[in-house]
Amino acid sequence: MKADKIILGVLGGVAVGALLGVLFAPEKGDKTRRKIMDKSNDYADELKDKLDTLLGTITNKYEKIWQEGEALVSEGKSKFYDAKSDGEALLAEGKSKFQDAKNDMKNTNI
């Protein structure tokens, strides 16, 4: 954000300097007003271009962060479902071994 403030400050200073230079120039009022209007339009266009560039950069960064977040969520879901499947398999195996042990105990006459 500091760079943005510096850019805006420099543009503002240039605009004020140009305006003062035009105002104190020895020309007719019509020409002076026209120059002021032209310069202000030029600066407005330049500022709009810089803001559009800044907005594009912010949008690109936001989209990149969003995509990385979606990838992390997807990876996390995949790992969760893998762990869940492994846990279910271990539980089924444990139940099977428990049932086998239970059956062995029933069949054993001690």
Side-chain angles (χ1 to χ4, degrees):
M1 284 297 184
K2 288 184 180 182
D4 298 337
K5 289 181 181 180
I6 291 172
I7 290 171
L8 290 175
V10 168
L11 287 175
V14 170
V16 169
L19 180 63
L20 289 175
V22 171
L23 285 174
F24 289 109
E27 290 186 3
K28 288 187 175 183
D30 290 341
K31 286 185 179 181
T32 302
R33 284 190 294 276
R34 185 177 309 260
K35 282 185 177 181
I36 290 172
M37 184 60 82
D38 290 343
K39 284 289 184 184
S40 60
N41 286 337
D42 290 343
Y43 288 127
D45 290 342
E46 185 178 338
L47 182 60
K48 183 181 179 292
D49 290 341
K50 289 187 184 293
L51 289 175
D52 286 343
T53 301
L54 178 64
L55 182 61
T57 301
I58 290 170
T59 301
N60 289 339
K61 287 182 180 181
Y62 171 78
E63 288 174 355
K64 182 180 176 185
I65 289 169
W66 186 265
Q67 289 172 352
E68 288 174 358
E70 286 180 335
L72 284 173
V73 168
S74 177
E75 182 181 344
K77 282 182 180 180
S78 176
K79 287 182 179 181
F80 170 77
Y81 289 124
D82 289 346
K84 182 181 174 188
S85 295
D86 291 346
E88 288 172 346
L90 286 172
L91 181 62
E93 183 182 340
K95 283 181 180 180
S96 175
K97 287 184 179 181
F98 177 76
Q99 192 62 36
D100 290 345
K102 187 177 173 183
N103 289 337
D104 287 345
M105 287 177 69
K106 281 184 182 179
N107 293 335
T108 306
N109 291 330
I110 300 180

